[in-house]
């Protein structure tokens, strides 16, 4: 990412993560919205929340959608992480794979995805905003 004040970047990323979370919550029960769209925004919320935590701790990160990589960077900070962080990469396929490929994707556990997003964004909010 380009150089920028870490706190400003962290807050901006967290705001975007919350926007993705709000969208997931709003369309959770709407069967007309495909799982690929809901899964993408759930993945994006987690990705941006992780990046917000990294920025808040002045840890540089590349432009990536790789949740596993971002999780490993966060774990390397030594910051206490929520239990769901270890399994957050379950949303990884929704970032690109299921968004662009024509292969059929599995159904998304929408409620489970939202719970994971809420856990990660709540944790990130506490670390970024206090």
């Amino acid at each position: 990412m380009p150089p920028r004040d870490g706190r400003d970047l962290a807050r901006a990323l967290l705001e975007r993560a919350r926007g993705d979370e709000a969208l997931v919550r709003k369309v959770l029960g709407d069967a007309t919205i495909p799982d690929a769209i809901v899964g993408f925004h759930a993945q994006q919320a987690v990705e941006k929340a992780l990046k917000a935590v990294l920025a808040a701790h002045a840890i540089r990160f590349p432009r990536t959608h790789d949740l596993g990589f971002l999780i490993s960077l966060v774990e390397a900070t030594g910051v206490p992480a929520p239990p769901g962080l270890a399994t957050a990469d379950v949303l990884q396929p929704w970032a690109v794979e299921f968004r662009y490929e024509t292969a059929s994707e599995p159904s998304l556990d929408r409620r489970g995805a939202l719970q994971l997003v809420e856990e990660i964004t709540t944790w990130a909010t506490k670390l970024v905003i206090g």
Side-chain angles (χ1 to χ4, degrees), residues 12-86:
L13 287 164
L14 184 59
E15 183 177 327
R16 290 184 181 110
R18 288 173 169 171
D20 285 310
E21 177 184 359
L23 185 137
V24 171
R25 185 177 295 106
K26 187 169 185 107
V27 302
L28 189 72
D30 187 341
T32 66
I33 307 295
D35 281 351
I37 301 300
V38 179
F40 173 75
H41 286 282
Q43 186 280 339
Q44 284 290 289
V46 170
E47 176 184 324
K48 292 168 190 168
L50 293 174
K51 289 177 177 179
V53 169
L54 291 168
H57 287 86
I59 297 171
R60 294 183 62 93
F61 52 89
R63 292 186 187 266
T64 183
H65 299 295
D66 186 341
L67 292 181
F69 175 75
L70 294 170
I71 290 166
S72 69
L73 286 179
V74 168
E75 290 173 341
T77 67
V79 173
L85 185 64

Side-chain angles (χ1 to χ4, degrees), residues 35-37 90-106:
D35 281 351
I37 301 300
V90 70
L91 295 172
Q92 182 60 42
W94 302 97
V96 178
E97 185 179 333
F98 295 151
R99 186 167 167 91
Y100 297 107
E101 293 185 9
T102 57
S104 62
E105 75 249 17

